[in-house]
Amino acid sequence: MTTSNWERSAQLDGIDRLILAHLVDHGRSSLADLAEAVSISASSAQRRLRRLEADGVIRGYRAVLDPAAIDRALVVHLSVVLVDHTAETVGRFERWIVDLDGLVSCHHVTGDVDYLLRVDVADVHALDVLLRRTLAQIPGVARFTTMVATSALVDRFVGAPGS
């Protein structure tokens, strides 16, 4: 029998949540630093960490890169509306979008739009190329709205399905 997300969430105690919060901000912490940060022994921290990894709560560890250093300084959020919601249209869009250069995240959402994307590009010229030569050419896209981020108040990576 599999454990639902709700059941898994209910199994996390306060120490587990402190460990997770610490790792989100300090993923490269040593075991000793992690243990000290959450006020438990290193052996207890190690056991909990291994359990969180084995249970799939922690899916992996990543490097967070400086977007400007890799020519991705312009953060763009896009809302996308499809012409219809047939399996063919949705499937075609999703096949095109997963390989989009600079794609950071893509979420299928409810409401007035169908998808919300975050794409990091080098500059306004790269954005123009993305919009005109890629997004506008995807069959089944009715319209999209572009929002360029001017600053980031909070930008955390917690994890995404399949990552």
Side-chain angles (χ1 to χ4, degrees):
M1 181 173 192
T2 61
T3 303
S4 71
N5 288 340
W6 181 85
E7 291 168 322
R8 183 184 307 153
S9 178
Q11 295 171 355
L12 299 177
D13 65 15
I15 299 293
D16 290 337
R17 292 179 190 283
L18 287 173
I19 288 171
L20 296 173
H22 182 81
L23 289 175
V24 166
D25 291 332
H26 309 283
R28 287 189 58 146
S29 273
S30 69
L31 198 53
D33 289 341
L34 175 62
E36 183 179 337
V38 300
S39 302
I40 59 176
S41 70
S43 61
S44 180
Q46 185 175 36
R47 278 192 307 279
R48 285 174 176 268
L49 197 55
R50 284 184 180 157
R51 180 179 46 78
L52 291 167
E53 291 168 347
D55 288 350
V57 176
I58 298 174
R59 295 185 187 167
Y61 300 88
R62 291 169 179 76
V64 178
L65 307 177
D66 174 7
I70 58 168
D71 288 332
R72 301 283 188 210
L74 191 64
V75 175
V76 180
H77 298 274
L78 297 158
S79 63
V80 178
V81 177
L82 300 180
V83 294
D84 59 50
H85 300 107
T86 64
E88 181 182 344
T89 301
V90 169
R92 183 177 32 230
F93 175 78
E94 291 181 355
R95 282 189 300 278
W96 273 69
I97 215 67
V98 295
D99 293 325
L100 186 66
D101 189 37
L103 182 68
V104 175
S105 64
C106 177
H107 299 273
H108 189 215
V109 297
T110 62
D112 294 336
V113 300
D114 298 312
Y115 290 88
L116 290 178
L117 286 66
R118 174 179 168 180
V119 182
D120 293 356
V121 295
D123 52 30
V124 174
H125 174 72
L127 174 60
D128 185 57
V129 169
L130 168 80
L131 298 176
R132 289 177 186 237
R133 295 190 190 155
T134 304
L135 201 57
Q137 302 303 314
I138 299 173
V141 171
R143 69 181 182 279
F144 53 87
T145 303
T146 307
M147 296 155 279
V148 175
T150 58
S151 66
L153 179 60
V154 176
D155 195 5
R156 294 188 187 112
F157 182 83
V158 176
S163 60

